[in-house]
């Protein structure tokens, strides 16, 4: 189809009725949130909630200034500039009901690598009250196993030495804080929206450590003027494919260079710990709670761990999408047994949801064929995900001397994953910043399985756990001699 409109403010009134468009005068939206990490997830989640607040409740005080810091974000930054911050969100329910919405809550955008000082100055301006983050697990530079901030990470070290060309969120924000302090301006609420255990507490202790090392005179200001609420965010959001772009063009006569595809389910739970006014997010379904831990544990250990498990066993079985694996009986029974036997004993129901309802909901969300979520997205950077999503369950089961069979099988399958070929001898790409090391130790594990676990940064004490080591070695030998499909059937029949 050649008859299409480019997505931008001017064309909004002419877009077809099949797209829900923004109805407010966007010039009247005032910015008070600086969001770092304008990725698909942010665009499907936090930016969507602000958009709903603007559109349904005429709340014009919490527009978003989008900030990207990574080289890889340049393309999206240019597109957002081109499209006046607008983009389409394709919300796909598993019952086949879909909605296409233009989201208009991102009203400004800055790109750090292009002009770091202008970016720092913008965040330091007095109108910004909340700095929110989706910088992914690896953006926090945590030691995989201890969960502690890794001051020795090369990018962090570099930032602590060269303040004019920062690369990390720490390098940027310490300068922002200094400006605010110098100008006698109030502080911020820093709202982490990443899948990290106690994300607010974690980023707080990372900042304290970073500031202590680089500019300790700022510590009292930081302690007094910044709050770090924990939050739990949940909405499956895929990597955009060229087909999605074509779909918007063909079905809605609109050319959006980078639409976002997500499921219809969405959830956001935030600890009520804000420095100043916060958006009345509860009007659009956000829940403010005192203690986030039960929500977080349930989500990280069921949904995110479930994703990682399907990602590993699915890739080895030759699948490419989450829904294919979730609709495969052997794979899903394995996952359900893992959740029932090893996860459930260590988590509790939340105020609003029982473990079994959440589990069933997650399984049916995984089966949604319309979002076509790729296993490559799930397995990307799994060396920073498995320690957060799977190890807490494993270590608690070990501590309580309870079954670890499924966890040990998963870690053995994860080792086999680094052989880089599926059961049909087809190679797949491994996208992980620790891949060199993991591929090397997985290769060595053919002779001596324990060598995979000797990857100290990732496994730390697990290698000293006799029972775990024994079960891991056993499953690895099975997985290297039988196709994974057969291993899963035998596991499900308790015959392995
Ligand atoms: C996924 C998450 O990255 C992953 O491994 O599990 O991105 C997941 O889709 C979101 O956390 C859903 O809320």
């Amino acid at each position: 189809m050649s008859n299409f409109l480019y997505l931008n403010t001017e064309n909004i009134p002419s877009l077809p009725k099949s797209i829900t468009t923004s109805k407010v005068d966007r010039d009247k939206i005032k910015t008070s949130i600086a969001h770092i990490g304008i990725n698909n997830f942010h665009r499907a989640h936090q930016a969507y909630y602000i958009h709903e607040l603007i559109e349904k409740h005429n709340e014009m005080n919490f527009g978003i200034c989008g900030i990207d810091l990574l080289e890889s974000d340049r393309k999206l930054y240019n597109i957002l500039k081109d499209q006046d911050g607008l983009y389409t969100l394709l919300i796909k329910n598993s019952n086949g009901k879909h909605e296409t919405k233009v989201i208009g809550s991102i009203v400004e955008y800055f790109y750090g690598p292009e002009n770091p000082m202008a970016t720092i100055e913008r965040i330091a301006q007095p109108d910004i009250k909340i700095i929110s983050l989706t910088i992914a697990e690896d953006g926090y530079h945590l030691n995989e196993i201890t969960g502690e901030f890794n001051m020795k990470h090369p990018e962090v070290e570099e930032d602590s030495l060269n303040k004019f060309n920062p690369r990390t969120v720490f390098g940027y924000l310490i300068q922002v804080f200094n400006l605010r302090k110098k100008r006698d301006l109030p502080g911020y609420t820093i709202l982490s929206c990443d899948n990290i255990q106690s994300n607010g507490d974690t980023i707080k202790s990372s900042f304290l450590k970073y500031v202590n090392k680089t500019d300790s005179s700022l510590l009292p200001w930081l302690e007094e003027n910044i709050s770090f609420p924990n939050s739990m965010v949940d909405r499956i959001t895929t990597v955009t494919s060229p087909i999605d772009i074509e779909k918007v063009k063909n079905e809605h006569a609109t050319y959006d260079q980078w639409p976002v595809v997500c499921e219809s389910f969405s959830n956001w739970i935030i600890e009520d710990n804000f420095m100043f006014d916060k958006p009345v997010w509860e009007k659009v379904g956000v829940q403010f709670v005192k203690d986030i831990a039960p929500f977080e544990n349930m989500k990280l250990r069921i949904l995110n761990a479930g994703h990682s498990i399907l990602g590993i066993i699915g890739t080895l079985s030759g699948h490419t999408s989450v829904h294919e694996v979730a609709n495969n009986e052997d794979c899903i029974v394995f996952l359900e047994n893992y959740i029932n036997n090893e996860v459930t004993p260590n988590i509790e129901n939340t105020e609003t949801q029982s473990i079994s309802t959440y589990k069933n909901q997650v399984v049916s969300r995984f089966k949604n064929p319309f979002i076509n979520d790729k296993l490559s997205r799930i397995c990307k950077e799994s060396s920073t995900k498995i320690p957060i999503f799977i190890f807490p369950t494993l270590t608690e089961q070990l501590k309580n001397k309870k079954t670890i069979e499924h966890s040990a099988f998963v870690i053995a399958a994860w080792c086999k994953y680094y052989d880089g070929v599926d059961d049909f001898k087809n190679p797949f790409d491994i996208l992980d910043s620790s891949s060199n090391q993991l591929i090397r130790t997985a290769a060595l594990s053919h002779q001596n399985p324990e060598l995979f676990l000797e990857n100290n940064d990732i496994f730390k004490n697990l290698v000293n756990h006799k029972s775990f080591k024994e079960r891991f070695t056993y499953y690895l030998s099975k997985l290297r001699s039988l196709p994974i499909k057969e291993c899963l059937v035998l596991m499900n029949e308790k015959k392995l």
Side-chain angles (χ1 to χ4, degrees), residues 283-297:
K283 285 193 179 164
V284 287
V286 174
Q287 216 181 315
F288 289 99
V289 298
K290 277 217 173 78
D291 180 16
I292 201 92
F295 296 93
E296 203 175 61
N297 286 339

Side-chain angles (χ1 to χ4, degrees), residues 41 45 137 195 233-237 263 299 303-305 307-308 358 365-366 373 377-380 385 389:
F41 180 66
H45 196 270
E137 292 79 359
N195 291 322
V233 289
D234 196 0
R235 178 171 240 181
I236 297 174
T237 307
E263 61 177 342
K299 197 250 167 174
L303 184 138
N304 297 112
H307 253 161
S308 289
Y358 187 68
R365 288 164 64 193
F366 285 171
D373 198 13
R377 176 184 85 83
I378 302 298
C379 293
K380 193 170 172 194
K385 294 179 178 178
F389 304 159

Side-chain angles (χ1 to χ4, degrees), residues 273-397:
N273 173 21
F274 281 68
M275 282 310 277
F276 317 101
D277 327 338
K278 57 183 190 284
V280 272
W281 269 316
E282 52 273 52
K283 285 193 179 164
V284 287
V286 174
Q287 216 181 315
F288 289 99
V289 298
K290 277 217 173 78
D291 180 16
I292 201 92
F295 296 93
E296 203 175 61
N297 286 339
M298 192 141 112
K299 197 250 167 174
L300 293 171
R301 297 185 192 193
I302 294 183
L303 184 138
N304 297 112
H307 253 161
S308 289
I309 291 173
L310 294 187
I312 295 163
I313 63 177
T315 305
L316 292 175
S317 313
H319 294 295
T320 53
S321 298
V322 175
H323 68 272
E324 292 166 5
V325 198
N327 284 299
N328 176 299
E329 190 64 13
D330 304 326
C331 295
I332 207 69
V333 168
F334 175 87
L335 177 61
E336 287 181 319
N337 287 339
Y338 165 78
I339 297 172
N340 295 338
N341 301 344
E342 298 180 31
V343 177
T344 306
N346 303 301
I347 57 174
E348 50 183 316
N349 296 331
T350 66
E351 291 159 35
T352 45
Q353 208 161 31
S354 72
I355 300 170
S356 70
T357 317
Y358 187 68
K359 182 193 78 182
N360 294 338
Q361 203 176 45
V362 163
V363 168
S364 78
R365 288 164 64 193
F366 285 171
K367 290 184 175 173
N368 181 350
F370 301 105
I371 54 172
N372 199 14
D373 198 13
K374 295 291 177 210
L375 300 180
S376 52
R377 176 184 85 83
I378 302 298
C379 293
K380 193 170 172 194
E381 295 304 332
S382 57
S383 66
T384 60
K385 294 179 178 178
I386 306 275
I388 299 173
F389 304 159
I390 293 181
F391 287 179
T393 294
L394 173 57
T395 44
E396 276 168 43
Q397 286 291 95

Side-chain angles (χ1 to χ4, degrees), residues 334 337-338 341-342 404-411 491-492:
F334 175 87
N337 287 339
Y338 165 78
N341 301 344
E342 298 180 31
I404 52 152
E405 296 305 308
H406 286 75
S407 301
F409 182 99
V410 169
I411 305 302
M491 272 304 272
N492 294 343

